[in-house]
Amino acid sequence: MEMDKKGKILVTGGAGFIGANFVKFLLRSEPRARIINFDALTYAGNIENLSDVLGDSRHEFVHGDIRDKAGVGAVFARGGIACVINFAAESHVDRSLDSPDSFVQTNVLGCLNLLEAARRHGVARFVQISTDEVYGSLLPGEAAFTEESPIRPNSPYSASKASADHLARAYHHSYGLDTVVTRCSNNYGPMQFPEKMIPLCINNAFNGRKIPVYGDGMQVRDWLHVEDHCSAVWEVCRKGRAGEVYNIGGACQTTNLDLVRAILRECGRDESLVSFVKDRPGHDRRYAMDFTKLNKETGWKPRHEFEKGLADTVKWYSSNKGWLEHVSSGEYKGYYEKMYSNR
Ligand code: NAD
Ligand code: TYD
């Protein structure tokens, strides 16, 4: 795909964990990139994540909701959007088990609003950010998921993400919109909301609180540093073939229990903080991604080695205790209003 050099990139969900890392990655690595960052600032969105790029003229933050068709339409109607990268989503499996409704509203209907606007406004490329979880669960010893693996989502979260993947495919097939879907494994790194396993574990370890390990802790996840995810998304955006799906993975399968042990060691705590709790309903046992296709077509592979990446991540949270405190206390919720009430 030849992207119009003058066009802007609409990044949705760019105040969340991966989106904010992506916005910073792009501003760092592509001096000519111009970004519109469209985010509803839900509980997971944090304007503090963007404090160092809010003054960058190449980055414009727009407070908006992808569920709002008129709001989405208004951003596209300004013209000049060459590309959409849709990170915006409800992203936490446990929350999807409590209230699936908002997952369908944002992850499915919100994505539909974006696809429709992209089609109407002749956008050159639409990248849908998806997840390994759409493939369901692997048995021990079973080969990693490829792009040909059947779609078998097991949680309301993964079912909503799978639905959006299908819509992206259908918009390509039916209307010729240039869509690509990326499916990535579990991410870790700076600015992840501390409801997710790694930052939750780090935060609790810092404070001497118990670490809740679901079930027997032998579930396996394939961890990837968020910066490697960002570079993979950008490779796919520039070089991926229209209508295709690309798996992204870390080649790093670890049980939850081993992960918790590694974090406790890094934080100077012992295993007495491990607390086995009731398992998550329908908990997927194992994910693993085969990313041969992406590697063959673009040369991408993960750069961050897990042990070092994890140690650096613990250091980041340790050096940014203020960030953790603001998020834990809810103080971060008022930042956007405070920042803009004086204008
Ligand atoms: P996150 O929950 O940290 O951030 C989500 C962002 O989307 C927040 O800034 C939030 O304010 C915004 N948002 C939510 N609903 C919105 C709406 N209706 N309109 C506009 N903005 C809205 O999520 P994340 O971990 O950064 O994940 C980003 C994307 O990557 C998601 O699509 C997720 O499914 C996918 N993904 C995540 C992982 C992971 O390990 N975190 C792995 C694979 C794929
Ligand atoms: P999570 O970070 O929620 O990501 P996902 O569910 O998308 O994989 O969880 C990672 C793994 O850690 C998953 O197997 C669930 C497990 N987990 C716990 O054991 N305890 C916890 O408190 C959390 C949040 C997760």
Side-chain angles (χ1 to χ4, degrees):
M1 190 223 40
E2 259 309 298
M3 244 178 57
D4 174 4
K5 294 269 188 310
K6 291 193 212 107
K8 292 188 179 174
I9 300 169
L10 180 72
V11 172
T12 67
F17 163 47
I18 305 173
N21 274 289
F22 182 77
V23 164
K24 293 178 189 194
F25 163 84
L26 204 54
L27 292 173
R28 258 195 328 266
S29 52
E30 296 288 336
R32 293 198 304 179
R34 287 184 303 150
I35 301 171
I36 300 175
N37 183 351
F38 189 87
D39 195 297
L41 296 179
T42 67
Y43 80 93
N46 183 353
I47 202 79
E48 196 178 353
N49 291 344
L50 299 166
S51 51
D52 46 342
V53 293
L54 285 175
D56 191 321
S57 59
R58 297 171 300 150
H59 169 246
E60 178 192 1
F61 183 79
V62 176
H63 189 197
D65 192 323
I66 62 169
R67 293 170 299 182
D68 169 19
K69 215 183 255 187
V72 168
V75 169
F76 281 84
R78 295 195 211 159
I81 295 176
C83 170
V84 177
I85 308 183
N86 181 28
F87 289 96
E90 290 293 339
S91 68
H92 192 40
V93 173
D94 293 327
R95 285 180 191 255
S96 83
L97 295 164
D98 285 342
S99 52
D101 194 74
S102 59
F103 284 71
V104 173
Q105 297 293 334
T106 287
N107 300 359
V108 186
L109 299 177
C111 177
L112 179 64
N113 286 339
L114 290 170
L115 286 164
E116 188 53 23
R119 173 173 89 88
R120 284 181 190 281
H121 291 272
V123 162
R125 168 134 284 186
F126 189 111
V127 184
Q128 171 60 17
I129 306 298
S130 187
T131 163
D132 56 359
E133 303 193 25
V134 300
Y135 295 122
S137 187
L138 287 168
L139 294 168
E142 215 177 333
F145 296 122
T146 71
E147 291 81 357
E148 308 307 320
S149 299
I151 301 297
R152 286 180 179 147
N154 288 323
S155 70
Y157 164 66
S158 52
S160 67
K161 293 297 291 184
S163 307
D165 291 10
H166 290 320
L167 283 171
R169 176 189 156 87
Y171 264 67
H172 175 65
H173 191 81
S174 302
Y175 304 119
L177 182 68
D178 181 327
T179 65
V180 278
V181 173
T182 61
R183 296 189 180 133
C184 189
S185 59
N186 285 65
N187 283 213
Y188 69 96
M191 299 186 287
Q192 187 167 28
F193 197 82
E195 64 183 353
K196 302 278 169 63
M197 186 54 165
I198 289 186
L200 177 129
C201 192
I202 294 172
N203 197 18
N204 284 12
F206 284 167
N207 294 294
R209 287 196 297 262
K210 294 277 184 194
I211 316 283
V213 173
Y214 296 163
D216 61 4
M218 297 311 284
Q219 304 84 2
V220 173
R221 296 293 182 266
D222 176 7
W223 292 98
L224 179 74
H225 194 280
V226 64
E227 277 175 16
D228 282 327
H229 187 187
C230 293
S231 65
V233 166
W234 189 232
E235 285 296 303
V236 171
C237 185
R238 288 181 304 147
K239 301 177 191 161
R241 287 176 293 125
E244 295 290 323
V245 172
Y246 292 90
N247 283 355
I248 305 170
C252 173
Q253 297 178 49
T254 314
T255 65
N256 289 341
L257 198 51
D258 282 345
L259 172 72
V260 170
R261 286 183 176 133
I263 295 171
L264 287 172
R265 270 196 308 276
E266 214 42 65
C267 296
R269 296 279 182 180
D270 65 42
E271 288 185 28
S272 61
L273 287 186
V274 171
S275 165
F276 290 97
V277 299
K278 193 165 172 281
D279 207 354
R280 171 189 278 173
H283 197 170
D284 285 338
R285 199 70 183 160
R286 178 175 163 241
Y287 305 136
M289 289 302 250
D290 180 334
F291 54 88
T292 309
K293 178 177 172 183
L294 177 62
N295 177 258
K296 275 200 177 136
E297 291 189 23
T298 70
W300 179 90
K301 59 178 188 222
R303 302 273 165 211
H304 289 264
E305 186 268 319
F306 185 61
E307 232 171 85
K308 164 98 172 49
L310 195 62
D312 288 347
T313 300
V314 170
K315 270 192 210 115
W316 187 87
Y317 287 95
S318 171
S319 316
N320 290 275
K321 288 221 170 100
W323 182 94
L324 261 181
E325 275 158 24
H326 302 157
V327 172
S328 309
S329 68
E331 194 182 327
Y332 73 111
K333 287 314 300 172
Y335 288 160
Y336 180 75
E337 286 71 18
K338 263 188 228 144
M339 205 177 291
Y340 287 86
S341 61
N342 300 330
R343 294 194 171 186

